[in-house]
Amino acid sequence: MVMQRWDPFRDLRRMDETMNRLWRGFGGVQSGTEEWNISLDVVQRPDEIVVKASVPGVKPDGIDLSLEDNVLTIRADRKPDFEDDKSVYLIQERPTGSFYRALSLPETVDADKIQSTFENGVLTITLPKAEEKKKRQIKIQIGGGTKAIEAKKDK
């Protein structure tokens, strides 16, 4: 016999999960916001930050991309494939409706030079760093100014 810690709410959670599966099977209530998380990859390079967002099933003109107060917001709307009264889903696992994702960006982003592309359901956003805010090496004087180490600029 395996000993388990007593959890008074375990049975309630199981019942809730079972009911959610039951309703999803009938095409009823969606199970919640966990289905609407846009998957992101964010990569920092010396000159830029690259964000890749998965938005399959959404047309490029259905995506709203905005930047306000250093917060990048991606909004989109995925419509059902069948919107007539005669079609009934037997299984519907691909979520539909509106969704968004917001991402705080560092102050180093140059908002005037942001570029985005959309290909095969992946939105790629390139956020260049502002020239004046990039990391710079500073000259170090050695022994009273007789020798100097060259300043290097990160790229």
Side-chain angles (χ1 to χ4, degrees):
M1 177 176 193
V2 177
M3 290 183 61
Q4 284 187 333
R5 180 178 291 217
W6 182 69
D7 181 2
F9 300 107
R10 180 182 301 129
D11 290 333
L12 286 173
R13 280 194 299 272
R14 272 194 212 138
M15 186 175 70
D16 184 50
E17 290 168 3
T18 303
M19 292 303 291
N20 282 338
R21 278 195 306 267
L22 178 68
W23 284 113
R24 277 196 309 259
F26 288 117
V29 178
Q30 295 287 334
S31 66
T33 58
E34 69 273 1
E35 295 183 28
W36 289 116
N37 193 13
I38 300 173
S39 299
L40 293 179
D41 291 337
V42 181
V43 177
Q44 180 168 327
R45 296 181 178 149
D47 287 340
E48 63 192 7
I49 295 173
V50 178
V51 177
K52 291 191 175 210
S54 295
V55 284
V58 178
K59 295 179 180 172
D61 58 349
I63 299 172
D64 178 35
L65 185 62
S66 63
L67 179 70
E68 184 176 354
D69 295 328
N70 283 351
V71 176
L72 178 70
T73 304
I74 305 167
R75 294 180 191 275
D77 188 43
R78 186 178 309 147
K79 298 193 184 314
D81 293 335
F82 306 102
E83 293 187 15
D84 57 45
D85 294 335
K86 296 179 183 178
S87 299
V88 177
Y89 281 100
L90 298 177
I91 298 173
Q92 184 182 12
E93 295 180 346
R94 298 180 315 138
T96 57
S98 297
F99 57 96
Y100 80 98
R101 181 82 184 258
L103 181 66
S104 293
L105 298 174
E107 295 286 329
T108 58
V109 170
D110 187 351
D112 296 329
K113 296 182 181 176
I114 295 174
Q115 297 178 343
S116 65
T117 58
F118 184 81
E119 186 176 350
N120 297 327
V122 178
L123 176 65
T124 303
I125 307 154
T126 305
L127 307 144
K129 292 182 181 178
E131 200 59 43
E132 64 273 2
K133 295 191 178 183
K134 288 182 187 175
K135 179 180 171 185
R136 298 177 190 265
Q137 289 295 107
I138 301 171
K139 290 183 183 180
I140 301 172
Q141 299 293 327
I142 299 176
T146 57
K147 219 176 190 186
I149 298 172
E150 280 293 314
K152 295 180 184 176
K153 182 177 164 186
D154 276 355
K155 291 188 178 185

